[in-house]
Amino acid sequence: MKGALVIGAGPAGLMAAEEIARSGHPVTVAEAMPTPARKFLMAGKSGLNLTKDEPPEAFARHLMLGTGGYAPPDPAGYFYQNESAFGPAEVMEWAQGLGISLFTGSTGRVFPVGMKASPLLRAWLARLRGMGVELRTRWRWQGFEGDALNFDTPEGRQLLRPEVTVLALGGASWPRLGSDAAWLPWLAAKGVTIAELKPANMGLRVDWSDAMAQYFGQPVKGTALHAGGQSSRGEWVISKSGMEGGGIYALSAALRDGAEATLDLAPDMDAEAVQARFTKPRGKLSMGNWLRRAVGDPVKVALLLEWGKPFPDDPAGWAGRMKTLPIHHRGPMGLERAISSAGGIRLDALTENLELRALPGIFAAGEMLDWEAATGGYLLTHSLGTGRWAGRAAADYLASARL
């Protein structure tokens, strides 16, 4: 097979294909699902958050490499090399180049004016077709067969031997949309070292009492979550399964790795001001009614009743509960519910150009790699950036091989 093969038609794979095609090489994209970029489209259902408009240094702090810690990466290291820089400004320029008008919200998050992912994807696929990129859907990679890549296709089994390959198969979150990590044992058998895949940007499982059922689906606003030395003021939702939403996802790595979590139900008030709310005697009021008078917000009252036992007997104790309410949960939700996954191909298994050391001529990009990023535009930007980087490196590989 002449030219390049990209396996996976998500954001990383399509970006890799675009870079290779721009260099003048023929590109085929093989996608297991009936249509491309299904997870990308799912992300756009609630408003496609493309990136976060902030300085590169601040943006970089939201990328966590697979080292077991939460320190920001070396700006000269993986994903931030000068020739491969792809941050908020580049994402916005790329989207606008597809004819997509953007706006920046009050928090710095960048969205298409129409909020949808589908117009951007349609424009992108049209541009790729115009560049000669061939998309083959329902082509499911089945691993290696000798020196060939084995595919199950509508036309039967196909063995391909491309000049260069980019793998962009995603991690293991939302497997029904295509990212099922079936690739893991095939690469491991070839000597590629892989870190365990774990949920990222996921909710917490909570066994709520029956009294909480009336609050399922309710947003929790005006609180601050604390875990692992980090804080989040983001909104979250009480769901039947537990706690979900951006406020939780921002701390998901620390929570997943065992950090204790507390909830501040009055983050804009100091302890003395909160204590003053509880100075009026309870009298004959039920605990719930007394708390509703002191706190006001029925959702916060429900959380106090759920997690506040043993109940304090003085105003100072209630202020402490309000400011540091312990969160009782059963750990993170699984990969099938996570927005993304951590773990994957270890960075020491790759060259600086994202080529697999054990498999020369095969590059990897996106969530297959051992890194994670927060939602809010960071995850998508980094996926696009690694696809761009791997695509450029694959194009250079092709050019060198032909010389």
Side-chain angles (χ1 to χ4, degrees):
M1 173 185 172
K2 290 292 185 182
L5 174 67
V6 176
I7 307 179
L14 295 178
M15 185 61 82
E18 181 171 351
E19 290 300 320
I20 297 169
R22 182 171 285 113
S23 297
H25 304 289
V27 187
T28 298
V29 179
E31 167 57 44
M33 303 301 284
T35 54
R38 287 199 163 190
K39 191 174 175 185
F40 178 75
L41 290 172
M42 173 68 80
K45 282 195 170 182
S46 57
L48 181 65
N49 184 189
L50 278 172
T51 192
K52 182 78 174 288
D53 189 4
E54 61 186 7
E57 297 77 12
F59 194 89
R61 287 196 289 271
H62 294 269
L63 171 66
M64 293 169 282
L65 303 187
T67 57
Y70 306 114
D74 176 357
Y78 279 100
F79 312 135
Y80 282 93
Q81 297 193 34
N82 290 335
E83 67 273 16
S84 301
F86 193 79
E90 289 78 15
V91 170
M92 290 187 280
E93 181 182 3
W94 166 78
Q96 289 165 341
L98 288 167
I100 304 300
S101 298
L102 307 175
F103 75 93
T104 302
S106 59
T107 62
R109 295 184 178 191
V110 178
F111 300 87
V113 168
M115 297 294 286
K116 302 288 187 180
S118 50
L120 188 152
L121 181 60
R122 283 195 298 269
W124 195 6
L125 292 173
R127 182 160 80 183
L128 291 173
R129 285 193 298 271
M131 298 171 75
V133 174
E134 180 183 352
L135 174 62
R136 299 179 183 177
T137 55
R138 294 189 173 90
W139 273 57
R140 182 174 294 277
W141 186 37
Q142 299 293 321
F144 300 94
E145 185 159 325
D147 63 346
L149 297 160
N150 180 20
F151 287 87
D152 179 20
T153 81
E155 295 78 33
R157 189 169 73 114
Q158 302 286 331
L159 298 178
L160 301 183
R161 295 175 177 84
E163 295 179 82
V164 69
T165 301
V166 176
L167 303 178
L169 291 144
S173 63
W174 287 93
R176 66 184 181 85
L177 299 179
S179 298
D180 57 9
W183 51 266
L184 196 153
W186 306 328
L187 294 184
K190 293 289 187 179
V192 178
T193 53
I194 299 169
E196 177 189 3
L197 291 170
K198 298 181 288 186
N201 291 299
M202 74 291 158
L204 293 176
R205 295 178 295 163
V206 178
D207 290 328
W208 299 113
S209 67
D210 292 342
M212 291 297 292
Q214 62 182 306
Y215 299 102
F216 291 166
Q218 287 284 324
V220 181
K221 304 178 181 181
T223 67
L225 291 145
H226 302 281
Q230 299 173 293
S231 299
S232 168
R233 291 289 300 266
E235 184 177 312
W236 55 280
V237 174
I238 299 171
S239 72
K240 184 177 181 180
S241 303
M243 305 170 69
E244 301 184 63
I248 297 291
Y249 303 155
L251 304 180
S252 60
L255 292 166
R256 179 195 63 221
D257 295 342
E260 291 188 6
T262 60
L263 181 62
D264 185 346
L265 295 173
D268 297 319
M269 301 175 65
D270 61 25
E272 286 188 5
V274 175
Q275 184 173 326
R277 289 190 168 198
F278 294 95
T279 55
K280 291 183 179 180
R282 176 178 161 188
K284 295 183 179 181
L285 291 173
S286 68
M287 179 66 74
N289 285 335
W290 180 68
L291 287 175
R292 274 187 281 276
R293 290 191 179 186
V295 177
D297 186 326
V299 176
K300 292 181 180 180
V301 170
L303 292 168
L304 271 174
L305 292 171
E306 185 75 3
W307 289 332
K309 296 178 181 177
F311 295 134
D313 55 10
D314 63 355
W318 278 110
R321 284 286 191 278
M322 281 281 289
K323 297 296 287 182
T324 56
L325 184 67
I327 296 173
H328 300 294
H329 62 90
R330 291 193 299 109
M333 294 181 181
L335 280 163
E336 73 283 352
R337 291 285 297 275
I339 289 177
S340 59
S341 57
I345 298 171
R346 287 174 54 97
L347 300 185
D348 56 13
L350 300 160
T351 71
E352 62 179 11
N353 289 321
L354 303 185
E355 184 178 13
L356 298 174
R357 297 184 188 277
L359 295 167
I362 297 182
F363 297 77
E367 280 194 63
M368 293 184 74
L369 310 185
D370 185 15
W371 62 276
E372 59 181 304
T375 57
Y378 302 105
L379 182 66
L380 180 54
T381 294
H382 291 312
S383 292
L384 290 166
T386 57
R388 182 177 185 246
W389 185 358
R392 288 185 172 187
D396 291 342
Y397 182 95
L398 267 176
S400 298
R402 291 177 178 179
L403 284 175

